[in-house]
Amino acid sequence: MRRGMWDREMVAALLLLALMPMVLTWLWFGGLDAIGRLSLTLIISGVWHMVFMLARAQSPSLAGVLSAIAVAMIAPEDLGLIRLALGVSFGTVMAELVFGGWGRNVLNPATVTIAFLGFGFPAAPWPDFVAPVFWAALPALAIGALFGILSMRVIIAAFAVLGIAYSGGDPAISAILPAAVLVLALLVTDPVAGASTSLGRWLYGAVYGGFVVLFAHEWQGAAPVQMTVSAAFLASLFAPLFDEAALALWVRQRRKRHG
Amino acid sequence: MFGSIFSAGLIMPRVGPPLTPDAPALHITDEAAITPAHGEELRVDSLVGDGDSVAQGQPLLRLRAMPDMYLTAPMAGRVAKIELRPGHRLSQMMLFHEAGGDRYAYDVSQAGHDTDELRRVLQMSGLWRMLRSRPFGHVPKPGAIPAAIFVMATDSRPDAPDPLPRLASREEEFSRGLDALARLTEARIFLCEAEASSYTGALPGGVTRIRTGKVHPNGLSGLMIHRHMPARVEAPVWDIHAKDVADIGSFLETGYVPATRVVSISGDALREAKLVQCQPGADLRGLSQSLLRPGPHAVLSGSFLDGRPAHWLSHRDRQVTVLTRDTSTKNRHWFNEALDHVSRRAPIIPTAALDLAFGRALPSAALIRILASGDVEGFTRLGGLSLLEEDVALADYATGASPRLMTQLRALLDRIEEEEGVA
């Protein structure tokens, strides 16, 4: 009657640990500006977690920190305090807390926040990163996959699609690839909002890669981060469908085998 | 922890000292009891009274609902007391051991030819009760016909006694027992063995061998049944431990009910962990007393994954786990205490650990969600009717789920049973 370790907060803590190399690199190169943005998103999301703890008795989760980091890193810049606060509040409350907190949400709150800000304030410029931040996304994926908290299938499928497109030699793909990997680590591999069946995960990763390739080719004048966030958002809308399809297929195969 | 990535099972940290490899010593405890399995309701008529002397294997209790089915004495001794709850429901029947007591001999001369007679002697001798029927996990009804029988010659639970060394010396009895099972029904028989070690003796025709993985949960009958022959309400699947099959074999040869079973005693409250040979229903404190370290502890019948606090060795269990009990009072803030009290429990995050806890045999995240929502139709669709508490115990352990998955599964199974009107 011993209990193991893979409860919700442990998974959130390990996810945080996996992201650390990338976050620290980003803070190092982003300086005070980055620290200010991160503090702001942390405070706003923290306040909402407090509100829901007091009003609805919902235990706050470390996962709030994860979304705050993702928003601070890839939300559009120069929004000003009010708009950023509005975006983070919308994402945290409507995409996560009203469903009962992390683990019961349907979409990733950070994805929703960033998409909300991106669509709401299209004039705001999207951030760009120095190359070491992009590189630091790789250890984040590796650590997550090693602990089994990020799905290896999603990562491999996304890399496979992106790799095939990259080997075609299109300059648009090589320009978007770093941002695609960054968003893969920050938003797409989220174990809750992503697909949860084996086949569903393959499809989910592949569809994310597919959307990135599509946008890189067809979307003129958009920033790489904007395109990849949109790809992540669309792919996560499809995730429940993939799961449902994978389950239906699994049940059918079993019925065929066992009658 | 990292090894788990490379095999479809979870490698768990050791709890307590490792099992000593010595051959199991005979240890008959002074007291033993007949108790119902967890959740089982036995309405019984007693065939003996308090203070009566009984022989080992003698029928002591008869089920009121199924008058052919008996519970038998685990050892020769004296009946200490019979505790019944209202409605003749058995709570426990306690016995004192008496050295040099008799063994009860059954007449098995007809069981070799006549299938009805075979059923009758198995039910009379209590050996029938070692069979378990899925869905729901009850002892099969006297006339029930299964779609398949799974014979488990492996057990992957941590520190579970390996049935194979014992089986190797009882090949003939095992083979006779398999033969009896084959005569019992038309059902297919599957013999499940772990990869590394396999039984080399003769097998009667019509027995299919299945190789299971060594890492838990691959050696669980539930996952094997789920994979090879899913149980349905109209087509139940039985499972039985290989040692019990050998017991049936020796019973049909001699007419005596085998008196002991090999049980492992392990856990972190012990100085050493070891195998013993004891009677069914043995007194767990008597078994573990000499091995204990000082300090508060809890005695479980079963492994540390699926075991339950118990006084007596439970029906079908082959493991005793003694765990240290944490008696330190945690000084928690009143606010956290209050929050824990009123909040909904944190949900389970689908990770690789969860997938591996089901041996990648089924869509685990979907199953967890279905259990939490109590969706009968979805549960049946995913093959949940093949599962019992012990099959979700590892996922329970890995995720620290609350309420426990074992409880959720049992509640759902009970509801299905009620709806189907099988009860």
Side-chain angles (χ1 to χ4, degrees):
Chain A
M1 308 258 285
R2 287 279 188 265
R3 309 322 298 276
M5 55 180 275
W6 297 101
D7 62 356
R8 179 175 81 154
E9 290 315 297
M10 186 51 142
V11 175
L14 286 175
L15 278 173
L16 204 56
L17 180 84
L19 286 185
M20 268 309 135
M22 182 167 65
V23 176
L24 293 177
T25 320
W26 172 68
L27 286 176
W28 179 262
F29 288 98
L32 274 182
D33 192 31
I35 294 172
R37 262 165 81 89
L38 181 56
S39 324
L40 197 63
T41 52
L42 275 175
I43 290 170
I44 302 167
S45 127
V47 164
W48 281 115
H49 275 87
M50 281 303 149
V51 168
F52 270 76
M53 178 174 75
L54 296 173
R56 302 287 313 272
Q58 244 164 249
S59 307
S61 164
L62 264 184
V65 179
L66 291 170
S67 332
I69 288 173
V71 172
M73 281 181 77
I74 48 184
E77 289 177 320
D78 301 334
L79 286 170
L81 179 64
I82 303 291
R83 289 168 178 178
L84 191 62
L86 197 65
V88 174
S89 303
F90 177 79
T92 312
V93 174
M94 297 311 289
E96 182 181 349
L97 293 174
V98 291
F99 289 100
W102 193 58
R104 294 199 168 91
N105 51 323
V106 182
L107 292 171
N108 184 330
T111 315
V112 172
T113 305
I114 298 163
F116 176 84
L117 290 170
F119 289 124
F121 311 106
W126 289 84
D128 202 5
F129 298 93
V130 291
V133 179
F134 291 132
W135 283 109
L138 292 177
L141 289 171
I143 296 172
L146 191 66
F147 279 115
I149 45 175
L150 303 186
S151 166
M152 207 98 79
R153 294 182 171 83
V154 174
I155 299 171
I156 294 172
F159 269 108
V161 171
L162 291 171
I164 291 166
Y166 179 73
S167 62
D170 188 336
I173 301 292
S174 40
I176 204 175
L177 201 57
V181 176
L182 181 86
V183 168
L184 181 67
L186 273 177
L187 302 180
V188 181
T189 44
D190 172 10
V192 173
S196 64
T197 53
S198 185
L199 176 66
R201 282 170 174 159
W202 287 114
L203 288 172
Y204 174 61
V207 159
Y208 166 69
F211 274 126
V212 169
V213 173
L214 183 71
F215 292 157
H217 273 290
E218 303 295 334
W219 194 347
Q220 305 300 330
V225 173
Q226 186 181 9
M227 290 192 261
T228 49
V229 167
S230 306
F233 186 57
L234 280 176
S236 71
L237 290 179
F238 279 102
L241 181 69
F242 293 150
D243 272 347
E244 203 54 38
L247 277 183
L249 204 65
W250 186 83
V251 168
R252 235 182 83 174
Q253 272 175 352
R254 265 178 74 80
R255 199 160 289 161
K256 212 181 272 174
R257 185 154 19 114
H258 300 297
Chain B
M1 182 170 65
F2 297 110
S4 62
I5 293 166
F6 305 107
S7 61
L10 270 184
I11 295 169
M12 278 163 285
R14 265 220 72 75
V15 173
L19 278 177
T20 46
D22 308 345
L26 187 68
H27 186 167
I28 300 291
T29 56
D30 294 338
E31 299 173 5
I34 304 175
T35 51
H38 180 81
E40 189 182 27
E41 195 180 272
L42 297 176
R43 301 175 71 139
V44 294
D45 282 327
S46 184
L47 307 177
V48 290
D50 285 4
D52 287 2
S53 262
V54 296
Q56 185 269 331
Q58 177 184 339
L60 301 185
L61 299 165
R62 182 172 54 207
L63 296 197
R64 301 189 117 200
M66 299 169 243
D68 291 337
M69 206 87 92
Y70 292 85
L71 304 171
T72 53
M75 58 182 179
R78 192 170 292 280
V79 177
K81 62 178 170 191
I82 305 166
E83 286 178 22
L84 297 178
R85 287 181 289 121
H88 291 263
R89 290 183 180 83
L90 178 67
S91 170
Q92 62 176 26
M93 179 181 202
M94 220 177 99
L95 300 116
F96 292 133
H97 180 233
E98 270 173 9
D102 277 346
R103 298 186 76 181
Y104 191 88
Y106 289 84
D107 175 18
V108 290
S109 54
Q110 297 305 310
H113 334 284
D114 187 356
T115 310
D116 289 341
E117 176 67 11
L118 176 62
R119 274 183 189 249
R120 199 189 64 80
V121 290
L122 287 181
Q123 285 158 13
M124 183 135 188
S125 63
L127 285 167
W128 181 270
R129 281 176 53 75
M130 301 318 293
L131 289 163
R132 179 171 55 177
S133 165
R134 298 173 196 240
F136 316 125
H138 303 312
V139 174
K141 299 243 164 67
I145 309 277
I149 303 178
F150 280 68
V151 177
M152 301 305 295
T154 174
D155 193 343
S156 58
R157 276 173 280 203
D159 287 335
D162 183 0
L164 279 159
R166 253 69 61 193
L167 222 52
S169 56
R170 303 180 65 186
E171 278 185 1
E172 200 182 318
E173 291 168 359
F174 181 62
S175 160
R176 189 176 299 116
L178 277 178
D179 216 41
L181 285 185
R183 278 193 294 120
L184 207 55
T185 70
E186 305 275 283
R188 288 177 69 185
I189 296 180
F190 294 88
L191 173 62
C192 306
E193 320 157 277
E195 236 147 19
S197 46
S198 65
Y199 165 76
T200 52
L203 288 181
V207 176
T208 315
R209 301 181 96 138
I210 298 176
R211 287 294 169 94
T212 70
K214 285 217 82 169
V215 187
H216 198 55
N218 287 291
L220 283 177
S221 48
L223 290 187
M224 288 298 116
I225 291 171
H226 181 272
R227 195 170 286 164
H228 296 282
M229 191 91 188
R232 286 172 292 153
V233 175
E234 63 279 8
V237 176
W238 296 355
D239 71 81
I240 184 168
H241 194 272
K243 192 258 172 191
D244 297 326
V245 176
D247 280 358
I248 291 177
S250 85
F251 169 71
L252 292 177
E253 167 85 17
T254 61
Y256 292 118
V257 179
T260 61
R261 70 170 69 155
V262 174
V263 169
S264 75
I265 309 175
S266 64
D268 57 3
L270 299 180
R271 282 180 288 106
E272 62 168 334
K274 65 176 190 178
L275 295 174
V276 295
Q277 242 179 322
C278 64
Q279 74 270 48
D283 176 18
L284 299 186
R285 288 182 192 277
L287 278 183
S288 54
Q289 193 102 58
S290 59
L291 306 169
L292 277 177
R293 281 189 309 163
H297 58 267
V299 184
L300 312 181
S301 174
S303 71
F304 73 87
L305 296 173
D306 57 3
R308 292 190 166 86
H311 192 148
W312 312 104
L313 184 64
S314 198
H315 177 55
R316 289 201 196 93
D317 277 350
R318 284 155 215 286
Q319 280 188 264
V320 182
T321 310
V322 190
L323 298 175
T324 49
R325 204 150 37 89
D326 186 17
T327 46
S328 62
T329 46
K330 279 187 209 137
N331 233 342
R332 297 189 63 204
H333 193 268
W334 64 267
F335 185 83
N336 289 336
E337 204 74 63
L339 188 63
D340 270 4
H341 201 67
V342 292
S343 62
R344 279 171 83 191
R345 296 282 141 215
I348 294 169
I349 309 296
T351 56
L354 181 63
D355 288 341
L356 293 174
F358 286 107
R360 293 201 199 284
L362 43 83
S364 46
L367 181 73
I368 299 293
R369 216 168 296 144
I370 280 169
L371 283 179
S373 62
D375 167 12
V376 169
E377 202 181 312
F379 180 73
T380 315
R381 215 159 55 102
L382 288 190
L385 289 180
S386 305
L387 303 180
L388 290 178
E389 282 103 320
E390 60 179 35
D391 305 308
V392 295
L394 182 58
D396 223 343
Y397 165 82
T399 59
S402 165
R404 303 189 62 137
L405 298 174
M406 286 159 80
T407 322
Q408 297 179 20
L409 180 84
R410 181 40 75 186
L412 201 52
L413 284 176
D414 284 349
R415 223 176 81 204
I416 296 174
E417 195 174 3
E418 201 175 310
E419 281 172 14
E420 295 284 343
V422 196

